[in-house]
Amino acid sequence: MDESGASSSYEGWHLSSDARALTRRALNGHLLQGDEPGAEELIERGVLVYEPWYRKYAAANMRQLQRRVHAEQRARVSDLLHEQTTADRFFDDMARIEQEQVPGLRYSETGSETQGALQAALADATTIIRTAQPVTRTAETLKLSLSVDIPRLERGISLKTIYPDSARSRGPEQNYVKTVSEHGAEVRTLAGDFIRCIIVDDTLAVISDYRTLPADRNTAWVVTHPGILAFVTQVFESQWGVAAPWMGGRARSVDGGTITTARTREILRRFSREQTIKQIASGMGLSVATINAEISSLYEQTGTGSHFALGAWWARSEEQKLL
């Protein structure tokens, strides 16, 4: 409480019925003892001020009180903003310390910084480039990629790329994949979300920052730490293992002209025996997510959109005869 009797915190401005009745008396010129019901509320808020001459409490000037309260509130807001700025600096410093503690792991806050590290690694690539791109790539980006991917493939560098299943319906991706596939690149598609990353040989990886979702496309982690690099590569290969091959056209043709693979045929056989997704996953030693991804891919391959329609397609398919 300050010298005027006003509370410095001003927490809560709702008055009780006693305090409201007492306020009317004070504003009508009555002097108060200060021990009446509701008086404490008014004294805390500065509505009543002590008059030493009368040794009693009187109503304060409400306009002056309002200005004083607003000034104090603005000061509190300013203090909170300053505190927030100080906190942001603290956490920025913590982020820098965090990055310094792990050799081979660097946080990149800008797309240009990430691209600089990535392009340097790509220029020195000698063996294989793995990319997982769950986002739509523009026609201009794909055109630029072709100008550098074809020469790499011609130099004998392998290229493995994962796109989302939705890419199969987009012309720019179809043309890009058809062209790089003709030069030896391997492209697959995957239903649902997957981890975005680029891995160059066994020397560097760039992965999106998944501490917030959806991951920011401009911020990323640049990885050269051997252990973390091996883990990122394993994540990519796990995604690659459940993705479906694609040569660039809308229709899929795998396993020498068939729509299904050995794995999806086994799923369909179990499905026709009325096994649940969970039972199929358990019986084949796969995750439920993997089975769901394979079924989603089959929907697109066969032009079906439900378990019933997929089952009907399988019932009349000649591919039942394949192992």
Side-chain angles (χ1 to χ4, degrees), residues 16-316:
S16 67
S17 58
D18 287 337
R20 293 179 67 82
L22 202 60
T23 300
R24 292 189 182 93
R25 290 182 58 195
L27 291 176
N28 285 329
H30 291 279
L31 296 176
L32 304 172
Q33 297 293 335
D35 57 359
E36 296 89 343
E40 184 178 356
E41 295 178 50
L42 301 178
I43 293 170
E44 285 182 354
R45 289 163 177 78
V47 175
L48 293 181
V49 295
Y50 187 67
E51 294 288 353
W53 180 262
Y54 299 104
R55 297 183 180 180
K56 291 185 178 181
Y57 287 87
N61 184 307
M62 292 298 107
R63 298 295 172 264
Q64 291 180 0
L65 176 61
Q66 184 179 30
R67 287 194 294 271
R68 184 165 66 249
V69 168
H70 284 176
E72 290 191 9
Q73 288 174 335
R74 285 192 294 270
R76 288 166 58 200
V77 170
S78 177
D79 288 344
L80 286 172
L81 290 173
H82 176 72
E83 183 179 344
Q84 183 181 37
T85 301
T86 304
D88 287 343
R89 289 173 182 166
F90 171 82
F91 287 111
D92 287 344
D93 191 42
M94 291 300 101
R96 283 190 291 271
I97 294 173
E98 180 182 41
Q99 294 157 29
E100 292 168 358
Q101 286 180 332
V102 184
L105 183 63
R106 179 164 57 87
Y107 184 63
S108 175
E109 293 185 310
T110 63
S112 58
E113 184 181 358
T114 303
Q115 283 298 315
L118 181 59
Q119 293 306 320
L122 289 170
D124 295 333
T126 58
T127 308
I128 183 171
I129 299 170
R130 300 173 174 91
T131 68
Q133 300 282 358
V135 294
T136 302
R137 304 184 75 193
T138 65
E140 187 63 30
T141 298
L142 292 166
K143 182 179 179 181
L144 180 61
S145 292
L146 276 179
S147 68
V148 292
D149 289 340
I150 298 302
R152 290 181 185 130
L153 291 163
E154 291 176 342
R155 293 201 308 269
I157 299 173
S158 298
L159 177 62
K160 295 170 70 173
T161 299
I162 303 173
Y163 282 131
D165 270 354
S166 58
R168 293 176 181 269
S169 63
R170 294 192 290 267
E173 281 96 333
Q174 292 174 17
N175 295 332
Y176 169 82
V177 175
K178 183 177 183 298
T179 302
V180 295
S181 296
E182 290 171 351
H183 286 78
E186 295 179 83
V187 182
R188 297 187 179 186
T189 63
L190 194 57
D193 294 331
F194 52 92
I195 301 299
R196 183 171 183 242
C197 63
I198 302 173
I199 310 167
V200 183
D201 293 335
D202 294 318
T203 59
L204 179 140
V206 173
I207 57 175
S208 295
D209 185 5
Y210 282 89
R211 292 180 296 179
T212 57
L213 294 176
D216 191 329
R217 294 185 60 175
N218 292 318
T219 61
W221 293 91
V222 180
V223 181
T224 55
H225 186 287
I228 303 175
L229 191 59
F231 174 76
V232 175
T233 302
Q234 183 59 46
V235 169
F236 175 90
E237 291 297 338
S238 295
Q239 296 180 156
W240 180 263
V242 297
W246 184 32
M247 299 296 288
R250 286 180 64 89
R252 303 186 186 190
S253 178
V254 296
D255 276 11
T258 66
I259 289 177
T260 59
T261 65
R263 174 190 280 182
T264 55
R265 286 193 288 275
E266 178 60 21
I267 291 173
L268 287 167
R269 290 188 182 102
R270 291 172 179 266
F271 188 63
S272 65
R273 295 199 293 269
E274 298 186 354
Q275 290 188 11
T276 65
I277 299 296
K278 193 179 224 181
Q279 289 170 334
I280 294 172
S282 177
M284 295 182 65
L286 300 171
S287 69
V288 169
T290 297
I291 300 300
N292 281 328
E294 291 284 24
I295 290 175
S296 295
S297 296
L298 284 169
Y299 284 162
E300 186 173 343
Q301 294 174 56
T302 60
T304 59
S306 68
H307 285 185
F308 178 81
L310 180 60
W313 175 87
W314 176 244
R316 62 177 181 269

